[in-house]
Amino acid sequence: MDEKFVIAVRHGEYESVDLSSLGRRQSEILAGRIKNLIGKQQSVMVFTSPVPRAQQTAKIVAEWIGVSVVVLPELELDDYSRGERQLTALLSMAEG
C-alpha cells in the first residue's frame, strides 16, 4: 500500500500582498525540504488558495517538485477554525 500524507504550509514572508525577497527564499528552502521528503512519490498535488502570496509560494514548491498548482477558492481563509474544517473536508475527499 502506498503511503499517503499531506503537508500543509503557510506562505512565506510578504510585503503588502506579494512575497518579499525573504519570503521567496523561504519558499525555495521549503520546496527543497519537501522534495527531499517526498522522494519519488508517483502522485503529488499542490493546492493553494487564490491569495497571491499563497499562489507564489505554491508555484515555487510546485516548480521544484515538477507538478502544477491547483487553485482552490475554498482554501481562502478568513479564520483558522474555518480553514481547519476545510482542510479536513479536502482530506476526506482525497481518501474517498
Side-chain angles (χ1 to χ4, degrees):
M1 177 183 239
D2 291 331
E3 183 179 15
K4 293 182 182 179
F5 55 94
V6 174
I7 303 168
V9 300
R10 286 187 51 101
H11 51 75
E13 180 186 84
Y14 64 97
E15 297 170 355
S16 184
V17 296
D18 293 319
L19 289 178
S20 65
S21 58
L22 175 59
R24 286 188 294 279
R25 182 68 187 128
Q26 290 169 333
S27 299
E28 291 168 352
I29 291 168
L30 170 68
R33 289 180 178 167
I34 290 173
K35 186 174 182 176
N36 288 336
L37 178 66
I38 64 172
K40 297 183 180 188
Q41 293 285 325
Q42 297 299 312
S43 180
V44 176
M45 301 176 80
V46 175
F47 298 99
T48 184
S49 78
V51 175
R53 58 187 170 261
Q55 288 189 53
Q56 293 161 5
T57 301
K59 181 180 178 195
I60 291 168
V61 170
E63 286 175 351
W64 272 66
I65 60 177
V67 298
S68 56
V69 174
V70 178
V71 178
L72 294 176
E74 299 87 355
L75 292 178
E76 188 167 4
L77 305 180
D78 55 10
D79 67 60
Y80 288 111
S81 61
R82 180 173 166 237
E84 187 175 324
R85 290 190 305 273
Q86 290 171 332
L87 182 56
T88 301
L90 285 171
L91 293 174
S92 294
M93 290 187 320
E95 289 181 355

